[in-house]
């Protein structure tokens, strides 16, 4: 695997995004279908469009919390910390940053890094070039410039010309690789430490239903590769 070059510049640029991204709550419901088999009733749980859009993703509830929601997503779905919410991460980040500044301008990557250390994990920032995207084998946080707005998202995986994104404002989506590269600052932020789930659902996003995509088969992260991202030997083996 290509070695990553450590980015010593942990971003201090505040990050924020547009408001109006979370709509009213629309939740799943059960539907009953009678006489599918004569004399029986079948109940099937269905998900709303919003739930599908934000499946395995923590949505941001404020216009400055994309970083907190991205961190919460990784902690919850890659480290099994099921009790983590955007609110708990926000509370922790307010304690180690300038809360008023964060509410006005958003959190920086340095704030994310400092928070990660308070929960017993480590943050690792790497400056990489575009071809190295294919070697990123764990979900990471990246900063995108979207029409002038700096926005944190979770980059789940890269497959060929597609980049699978967990956007805490807009939901799960697939970006064209060239579009992603144009918006990206070439930095990835990895959260490393004990109890990383090598089978995390973040590495198994829904695939487009085309024959061309059938070759995209999920596989867990090889343990040896985790060492390249800053995991310790004792945390992997």
């Amino acid at each position: 695997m290509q070695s990553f070059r450590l980015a010593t510049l942990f971003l201090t640029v505040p990050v924020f995004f547009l408001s109006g991204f979370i709509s009213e709550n629309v939740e799943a419901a059960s539907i009953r279908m009678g006489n599918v088999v004569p004399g029986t009733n079948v109940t099937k749980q269905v998900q709303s469009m919003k739930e599908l859009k934000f499946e395995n993703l923590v949505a941001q509830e404020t216009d400055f919390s994309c970083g907190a929601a991205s961190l919460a997503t990784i902690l919850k779905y890659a480290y099994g910390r099921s009790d983590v919410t955007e609110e708990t991460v926000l509370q922790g980040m307010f304690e180690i940053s300038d809360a008023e500044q964060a509410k006005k301008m958003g959190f920086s990557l340095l704030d994310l890094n400092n928070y990660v250390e308070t929960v017993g994990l480590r943050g690792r920032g790497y400056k990489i070039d575009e071809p190295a995207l294919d070697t990123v084998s764990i979900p990471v946080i990246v900063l995108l410039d979207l029409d002038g707005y700096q926005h944190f998202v979770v980059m789940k995986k890269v497959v060929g010309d597609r980049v699978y994104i967990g956007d805490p404002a807009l939901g799960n989506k697939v970006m064209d690789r060239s579009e992603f590269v144009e918006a990206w600052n070439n930095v990835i932020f990895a959260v490393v430490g004990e109890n990383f789930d090598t089978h995390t659902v973040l590495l198994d996003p829904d695939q487009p239903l085309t024959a061309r995509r059938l070759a995209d088969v999920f596989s867990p992260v090889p343990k040896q590769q985790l060492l390249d991202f800053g995991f310790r030997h004792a945390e992997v083996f």
Side-chain angles (χ1 to χ4, degrees):
M1 172 180 174
Q2 177 176 345
S3 296
F4 292 131
R5 181 159 56 90
L6 179 64
T8 58
L9 56 122
F10 276 117
L11 299 183
T12 57
V13 179
V15 181
F16 56 93
F17 195 57
L18 296 170
S19 59
F21 35 78
I22 303 299
S23 61
E24 65 276 3
N25 290 328
V26 181
E27 299 180 350
S30 297
I31 58 174
R32 300 189 67 183
M33 298 173 287
N35 291 323
V36 175
V37 176
T40 67
N41 285 306
V42 177
T43 301
K44 181 174 179 58
Q45 191 76 10
V46 295
Q47 289 180 296
S48 69
M49 291 300 294
K50 180 183 175 183
E51 286 176 315
L52 288 172
K53 194 173 184 180
F54 284 89
E55 187 174 22
N56 302 322
L57 176 64
V58 176
Q60 70 182 91
E61 300 291 345
T62 74
D63 58 358
F64 61 84
S65 59
C66 55
S70 295
L71 264 184
T73 294
I74 288 182
L75 293 176
K76 183 172 184 176
Y77 295 108
Y79 282 90
R81 302 191 181 194
S82 58
D83 58 336
V84 169
T85 65
E86 181 197 47
E87 182 178 1
T88 59
V89 174
L90 276 176
Q91 291 174 348
M93 292 182 71
F94 283 149
E95 294 176 2
I96 50 88
S97 63
D98 186 330
E100 291 305 314
Q101 180 73 5
K103 289 178 181 179
K104 292 178 181 178
M105 301 296 293
F107 293 103
S108 70
L109 191 56
L110 179 61
D111 294 327
L112 271 63
N113 181 67
N114 290 341
Y115 172 78
V116 164
E117 294 180 353
T118 70
V119 295
L121 299 171
R122 304 183 303 283
R124 292 291 182 267
Y126 298 98
K127 184 86 170 181
I128 66 174
D129 55 17
E130 183 271 334
L133 284 171
D134 296 300
T135 67
V136 179
S137 55
I138 64 173
V140 295
I141 294 174
V142 297
L143 179 66
L144 300 181
D145 184 330
L146 303 175
D147 295 326
Y149 289 92
Q150 306 297 307
H151 185 47
F152 284 126
V153 301
V154 177
M155 187 182 83
K156 300 178 179 182
K157 65 187 294 185
V158 178
V159 181
D161 59 355
R162 290 162 298 131
V163 182
Y164 290 88
I165 296 295
D167 186 327
L170 302 176
N172 294 300
K173 61 182 183 179
V174 182
M175 293 184 69
D176 181 81
R177 187 177 183 130
S178 61
E179 177 190 4
F180 173 85
V181 170
E182 184 177 352
W184 174 50
N185 66 352
N186 289 92
V187 172
I188 62 172
F189 179 74
V191 178
V192 303
E194 293 184 354
N195 300 318
F196 175 76
D197 180 6
T198 57
H199 292 78
T200 170
V201 294
L202 297 179
L203 295 176
D204 191 22
D206 289 337
Q207 301 294 312
L209 297 178
T210 65
R212 179 185 171 203
R213 307 308 188 192
L214 293 179
D216 296 341
V217 179
F218 169 73
S219 59
V221 185
K223 290 184 177 181
Q224 186 63 38
Q225 287 189 13
L226 294 180
L227 300 177
D228 294 313
F229 290 91
F231 285 84
R232 294 169 181 158
H233 195 275
E235 294 169 340
V236 175
F237 297 97

